[in-house]
Amino acid sequence: NYDGNERNQKSNQIGEKSDGNEAGMGMKVIPYMDVVRLDGVVVQGWEELHGFLPPGGYEGYQGCNDGADFSQGKGKNKKESGDSRNQHTIIRTIDDPLDDTQKSEHTNKDRNSNKNQITNYQYIKYWKPQGVICTTDRSIRHNILEELEHDGYFPPHRVFPVGRLDKDTSGLILITSDGRLPNSVLRGQAKQPKTYQVKVDKKLRLDDLDHLRNGVVITTYAQRDKQKKMLTAPTLPSIVQQTGINSLEITIFEGRNRQIRKMLEALGYTVVMLHRVEFMKIALKPLEKEGDWVELNLEEMRMIDELIA
């Protein structure tokens, strides 16, 4: 721990001093005062990732929002529409959740309301198109960040997907800046339902539907401590409903790699379409098409709060 003078002396030793104090390696940092760099690049929004609010809330604080537009939308591409980027902070009104007509208006008017709760993290649900890869590595073509920007979503700081889908699977995925959520999902992984619509290459047999409900032995691989570990074991019981001659809806309660595809392959089928419609009891609706996205509503945010608590 350093007092103010010691901190300033240390700052001068390690680099140029910015508007606030600059924190050196090994020093204790102060939110919204100290500058944090990673490989020489200033890390914007690190305070929000750790749950800190600006002093006095977001009123008048523009530090993490410069040049960013994260207004709500349903796949509206601002690059095509020509809309200018605004600077504003998402505010959620607990007593009066935003409807579609209000979403574009929640700026300074809502910001000054005493009834508002500031949502410190970004939370949206996104209809991931088939072919999009759930990676934040921008060097990989069709990475999810690139696709989100194409679909009109420009977050003010780093976001990442929660509840990954493979490249060939479409549907619901959550996008957030809240680093607490992945750990919460993993901690309760066996309890988090995931519902998919599935189409296979031939007529479904009734006894195979029972096999899916009761569990199918599959082999999957998981990366642990930089080592690839193999697991051959039956899947947990699932909820299965046939929806057509060669289609079904299935809810699973675990997240093994390519699990549904492997379950059906073990029974002699090939999956030709896999589409997620619900995750953690959060539904894909009201999204209407691939590329659509929207901020989580009041009830969905309450579910997230309960999961993280």
Side-chain angles (χ1 to χ4, degrees):
N1 293 331
Y2 296 84
D3 61 24
N5 293 329
E6 290 172 322
R7 182 181 291 274
N8 289 335
Q9 292 170 6
K10 185 69 174 178
S11 300
N12 293 331
Q13 292 173 6
I14 62 171
E16 292 184 9
K17 188 176 177 182
S18 62
D19 292 340
N21 291 323
E22 184 172 340
M25 182 177 292
M27 293 177 61
K28 186 175 181 180
V29 293
I30 300 175
Y32 303 102
M33 290 183 60
D34 291 329
V35 176
V36 175
R37 285 191 173 94
L38 179 63
D39 296 331
V41 178
V42 174
V43 179
Q44 297 285 2
W46 67 267
E47 296 93 344
E48 286 87 349
L49 289 173
H50 290 277
F52 296 109
L53 287 175
Y58 276 107
E59 183 67 31
Y61 177 72
Q62 300 292 333
C64 67
N65 296 340
D66 292 345
D69 180 350
F70 50 104
S71 58
Q72 305 205 42
K74 293 185 177 180
K76 181 178 180 181
N77 189 340
K78 295 184 181 298
K79 290 179 285 188
E80 294 177 358
S81 68
D83 291 348
S84 61
R85 295 188 179 186
N86 301 314
Q87 294 184 8
H88 64 276
T89 300
I90 285 183
I91 306 291
R92 183 176 304 284
T93 305
I94 293 299
D95 297 26
D96 185 18
L98 300 175
D99 60 30
D100 287 340
T101 60
Q102 294 170 315
K103 286 172 183 175
S104 61
E105 301 174 358
H106 64 292
T107 52
N108 292 333
K109 179 180 178 181
D110 287 335
R111 186 177 296 171
N112 295 325
S113 170
N114 291 329
K115 297 189 299 180
N116 292 341
Q117 171 184 320
I118 296 178
T119 300
N120 202 26
Y121 300 102
Q122 292 286 289
Y123 276 104
I124 68 165
K125 54 183 176 182
Y126 176 55
W127 185 326
K128 185 189 91 67
Q130 189 178 26
V132 173
I133 301 173
C134 289
T135 178
T136 57
D137 186 347
R138 290 183 176 271
S139 67
I140 297 175
R141 288 190 63 194
H142 304 300
N143 67 80
I144 197 165
L145 296 182
E146 178 183 281
E147 296 298 325
L148 281 163
E149 289 174 357
H150 175 77
D151 291 323
Y153 178 62
F154 299 93
H157 41 69
R158 187 178 73 91
V159 295
F160 46 86
V162 177
R164 291 172 179 264
L165 296 172
D166 64 41
K167 180 179 179 181
D168 297 323
T169 303
S170 63
L172 175 64
I173 192 164
L174 300 183
I175 306 294
T176 184
S177 60
D178 190 348
R180 301 170 300 171
L181 185 58
N183 291 332
S184 299
V185 172
L186 289 173
R187 186 170 61 242
Q189 189 172 16
K191 300 177 182 179
Q192 301 307 319
K194 309 168 186 70
T195 301
Y196 297 80
Q197 295 172 348
V198 190
K199 184 177 289 187
V200 295
D201 61 335
K202 56 187 176 182
K203 182 179 179 179
L204 289 160
R205 298 183 296 269
L206 293 179
D207 57 337
D208 287 336
L209 295 176
D210 287 335
H211 285 308
L212 292 172
R213 292 185 183 103
N214 297 326
V216 178
V217 176
I218 61 173
T219 298
T220 53
Y221 294 87
Q223 198 79 16
R224 295 288 186 273
D225 301 324
K226 298 183 180 180
Q227 293 184 348
K228 200 174 184 179
K229 295 187 178 181
M230 183 176 71
L231 172 65
T232 300
T235 57
L236 294 177
S238 305
I239 300 172
V240 178
Q241 179 179 359
Q242 187 171 4
T243 56
I245 294 175
N246 65 333
S247 61
L248 61 96
E249 185 172 276
I250 181 171
T251 300
I252 60 175
F253 298 88
E254 53 187 335
R256 297 169 65 179
N257 183 250
R258 298 178 68 86
Q259 177 175 332
I260 293 175
R261 295 181 187 276
K262 292 191 175 189
M263 290 170 70
L264 285 154
E265 286 171 7
L267 298 174
Y269 301 92
T270 297
V271 172
V272 297
M273 187 277 290
L274 186 58
H275 177 67
R276 185 158 68 192
V277 295
E278 191 170 287
F279 174 50
M280 300 193 313
K281 299 182 180 179
I282 295 174
L284 183 64
K285 296 178 180 180
L287 304 182
E288 298 175 352
K289 63 183 185 301
E290 288 187 346
D292 281 1
W293 60 270
V294 71
E295 188 190 25
L296 297 191
N297 64 31
L298 178 67
E299 185 58 35
E300 290 165 340
M301 284 304 302
R302 282 177 175 159
M303 288 189 281
I304 294 291
D305 290 341
E306 289 174 2
L307 182 63
I308 291 175

